[in-house]
Every structure is written in C-alpha cells, then in structure tokens.
Amino acid sequence: MASSLIAGAVSLLLIIIAGYVIATGILMVAETTVYTQMDVSYNQELIKQTDISMDYSWDSGTLSLNVFNNGSTSFTSKDFLNMDLFTYDSVNKTRRYSKANCDPFNVTTASDIINKGMWDPSEVLLVNISLTQKPTWAKFVTPNGVTATASVI
C-alpha cells in the first residue's frame, strides 16, 4: 500500500515537472515568434516611410550625387556605413561602392539642420566619388533597401 502511494506521488510529480517543461518551452517559442513578427513589422513600416530621390553632376572624374530624403525616416551616422552606391559604365561594368570599405565614397549632409550627424527628412545627402570613367547610370541604396536611380548622360 505504501509503495503504490509513493509511486503515485512520484508519477504526479513527474507529470507536473513534464508539464512545466513543455509549457515553458512553448512560451519561449511563442515569445520569440512575437518579437520576430514585431521586428519584421517595424522594418516594413520603415521601408514604407522611406522615400528618396537624387540628381547628379559629373565634373572631371568626380560623380556628385544629391540624394533627397523625401520620406519620414531618419538615418544615423551608423546607417551611412550601410549605404551603397552602384555605378555602371561600359569599361568597368557594374561596381559597388560602400562607405564601410571604400575610401573615395564620401558622404556629407549638405543641409544638416535638425539632428547634427543624421540624415533627416527634407535634408540632402551629398555623395562624392572619384571615378576614372563616366558611368551610364548610378543607383543609391539605403540600409533598409530603398533605392534611387539616375541615368548619368
């Protein structure tokens, strides 16, 4: 009689511990899923709020781009490291330039009015790059994937 009582108590304790472990695992997975969905939604909202356009000038080996922030997204100085410029010309074909790994890629904000060191809405970003060949087109890409393209004729 005592052994069946002990076996029942141990069985009940094992069921409670197993339920706790399973519930904790499910809650952890659910929490991770919720945070991931929130991050994806936030990034999609930033993409929707980002709108850029650009114009260019070519002067003796220097391509100068004026990139206009027409949306409502601000970019920090860390974001400048993740901005890319792609150019295409008949000699070098497509080339990628990034502030993170290319010295001639100089980014400065022309009208830094509100938050110094950030690229805020309605501000202009000046991008200068030294090139040996005049490109046919240039594409500027923000860190969240929004692009602006200009035909350099």
Side-chain angles (χ1 to χ4, degrees):
M1 166 112 171
S3 66
S4 66
L5 206 57
I6 292 173
V10 169
S11 297
L12 182 62
L13 185 62
L14 287 174
I15 290 172
I16 291 173
I17 290 173
Y20 175 76
V21 169
I22 290 171
T24 303
I26 290 172
L27 288 176
M28 191 180 325
V29 169
E31 183 181 22
T32 304
T33 303
V34 167
Y35 285 138
T36 303
Q37 288 175 342
M38 287 172 41
D39 286 344
V40 167
S41 297
Y42 176 74
N43 289 335
Q44 288 175 341
E45 189 65 29
L46 278 181
I47 289 171
K48 288 179 185 175
Q49 294 175 357
T50 304
D51 182 27
I52 61 172
S53 61
M54 72 176 176
D55 62 10
Y56 71 91
S57 66
W58 173 261
D59 184 32
S60 63
T62 300
L63 177 65
S64 298
L65 300 172
N66 294 322
V67 186
F68 303 94
N69 188 346
N70 304 323
S72 60
T73 302
S74 295
F75 296 96
T76 64
S77 57
K78 280 203 273 186
D79 291 328
F80 292 149
L81 297 175
N82 297 318
M83 293 180 182
D84 294 319
L85 174 67
F86 294 90
T87 61
Y88 176 83
D89 63 60
S90 59
V91 176
N92 297 318
K93 303 298 179 194
T94 303
R95 297 200 57 187
R96 175 182 171 263
Y97 303 94
S98 168
K99 180 126 178 97
N101 61 6
C102 186
D103 291 333
F105 186 76
N106 298 318
V107 176
T108 56
T109 49
S111 56
D112 201 1
I113 301 167
I114 300 171
N115 298 317
K116 299 294 182 188
M118 292 179 66
W119 185 33
D120 295 310
S122 74
E123 290 183 348
V124 180
L125 187 70
L126 300 176
V127 179
N128 297 314
I129 187 163
S130 299
L131 300 171
T132 57
Q133 177 89 13
K134 182 178 179 181
T136 307
W137 60 260
K139 178 184 276 190
F140 185 79
V141 184
T142 63
N144 59 6
V146 177
T147 65
T149 306
S151 293
V152 183
I153 300 173

